[in-house]
Amino acid sequence: MRTRFAPSPTGPLHLGHAYAAIFAHDLAMAERGEFLLRIEDIDQARARPDWEQAIYDDLEWLGLIWEKPAMRQSDRLPAYRTALDQLWRQDLLYPCTCTRRDISDALSAPQDAVPPGPDGPVYPGTCRHKDWPEFDRRANSKLPRPETHALRLSMGLAATRMTEQCIMEPSTPWRRPAGFQETGHGPHGEHGWIESPDQTLTTAIGDVVLSRRDMGTSYHLAVVVDDAAQGITHVTRGEDLFEATRIHVVLQKLLGLPTPSYHHHRLIRDDLGKRLAKRDDARALSKYRTEGATPADIRRMVGL
Ligand code: GLU
Ligand code: ZN
């Protein structure tokens, strides 16, 4: 068993992070497995080296042990480009130049009022059928440069491809395309084998961005490529990421990567029931530490 904790160095770790890290660590230790750390710093505008150092300090203090050095996503851009190229050559990506404003304008028609997906408003598909003379894919063109165009996944096409794969390979270990084993629970108590019907993928999630212009990748792509590269067998994380897992499983299928099992867990909330955010410095682990709390106190506070 291999688990991981994958924080972003964009602020102090708080009790919610402590819960997630200890949970993943203890699960691996109970099975004599391994616990890995991954620094998710693709958002270079927000990531800071001192926050990264603070992550190491906090986790050491908590008594967690991981294989060093930790993987850092900012070192992995070539791996993300390789994955994007693989999808591009399958014709599953298209360039998009829409601004947030373009998208909200296109969605303002009342019949388009779809509830937001895991990435916010479901993309209306504006750029899907645009002609891009500079990227004639039949001419086997190269992947667009990261800075010039965002790249979106054609979710409808992806769903069709996965169904075809299942028909062609009936011995496939997945009962249906894009399913995963949930050993924890989603926000509505989802548990067990979770399927994502094509309808859910196309209308509730849609054409998500896989390469942002400012990053050359995206959270969804990076997390999938890296969980596979680190050989993670059990992904444990907050239940707020449950819906995003549907996207991750689609990407695993399209890239030919294994699907780990998933354990989504509860979120640590403040006294008012609001989930903790990075800006809740008041609950930063380092603050408890300087006030004299012990790692055992932290475990008690998060109920572990
Ligand atoms: N880096 C993500 C976060 O801090 C976690 C991603 C994950 O566990 O999949 O929210
Ligand atoms: Zn667009």
Side-chain angles (χ1 to χ4, degrees):
M1 170 174 300
R2 263 203 190 169
T3 65
R4 47 69 162 186
F5 175 54
S8 301
T10 55
L13 296 191
H14 53 57
L15 288 180
H17 295 107
Y19 179 78
I22 296 171
F23 188 95
H25 177 267
D26 287 3
L27 183 65
M29 294 306 115
E31 301 283 329
R32 295 173 172 277
E34 273 177 292
F35 166 72
L36 302 186
L37 175 64
R38 181 168 73 233
I39 303 294
E40 301 216 319
D41 59 350
I42 46 174
D43 190 348
Q44 284 289 309
R46 292 172 60 223
R48 281 181 16 202
D50 44 336
W51 292 130
E52 182 178 331
Q53 187 56 48
I55 291 172
Y56 300 138
D57 296 345
D58 285 343
L59 298 181
E60 297 268 4
W61 175 69
L62 284 173
L64 308 190
I65 295 163
W66 64 94
E67 193 183 281
K68 295 178 179 113
M71 177 180 275
R72 294 165 83 228
Q73 291 194 321
S74 54
D75 296 332
R76 307 256 314 140
L77 294 179
Y80 308 143
R81 293 311 285 176
T82 301
L84 287 170
D85 195 51
Q86 205 179 329
L87 297 173
W88 175 258
R89 283 186 281 116
Q90 297 177 62
D91 217 5
L92 289 165
L93 302 181
Y94 62 88
C96 172
T97 49
C98 294
T99 61
R100 253 177 234 276
R101 181 64 197 266
D102 294 336
I103 295 172
S104 64
D105 286 353
L107 287 172
S108 61
Q111 69 272 22
D112 289 335
V114 179
D119 269 354
V122 175
Y123 181 64
T126 322
C127 289
R128 195 186 302 136
H129 303 295
K130 260 196 212 158
D131 266 333
W132 299 93
E134 66 272 48
F135 308 119
D136 182 357
R137 265 163 287 169
R138 280 153 302 183
N140 218 351
S141 74
K142 289 244 289 282
L143 190 63
R145 291 226 318 276
E147 330 66 83
T148 55
H149 299 79
L151 295 172
R152 287 185 182 273
L153 177 67
S154 246
M155 193 59 94
L157 203 52
T160 308
R161 292 282 168 81
M162 290 188 301
T163 307
E164 284 167 4
Q165 256 177 32
C166 271
I167 296 168
M168 279 158 48
E169 302 163 41
S171 62
T172 173
W174 322 302
R175 272 183 270 168
R176 287 279 307 274
F180 66 96
Q181 196 65 42
E182 172 65 59
T183 59
H185 58 81
H188 305 289
E190 298 92 337
H191 178 83
W193 182 252
I194 309 292
E195 294 188 351
S196 302
D198 291 5
Q199 176 83 358
T200 304
L201 294 177
T202 53
T203 61
I205 296 175
D207 296 353
V208 291
V209 170
L210 294 189
S211 179
R212 278 172 50 163
R213 257 189 300 173
D214 54 344
M215 294 181 178
T217 180
S218 66
Y219 160 66
H220 299 303
L221 185 80
V223 83
V224 161
V225 169
D226 290 344
D227 280 336
Q230 290 190 300
I232 303 302
T233 59
H234 289 71
V235 171
T236 65
R237 59 187 179 193
E239 63 183 26
D240 54 324
L241 287 167
F242 178 82
E243 290 299 326
T245 305
R246 301 182 191 279
I247 304 171
H248 302 168
V249 175
V250 168
L251 293 176
Q252 286 151 3
K253 301 289 181 246
L254 299 174
L255 291 167
L257 301 173
T259 294
S261 41
Y262 286 86
H263 189 110
H264 291 91
H265 55 62
R266 65 188 165 87
L267 299 172
I268 302 293
R269 298 178 185 276
D270 65 15
D271 304 336
L272 298 171
K274 217 167 78 4
R275 63 174 291 209
L276 299 180
K278 286 267 161 75
R279 59 188 170 281
D280 291 320
D281 288 14
R283 284 178 176 73
L285 282 182
S286 53
K287 186 145 184 288
Y288 289 110
R289 185 170 65 201
T290 49
E291 285 169 358
T294 65
D297 293 331
I298 301 292
R299 280 181 177 263
R300 251 192 312 277
M301 286 161 77
V302 298
L304 280 174

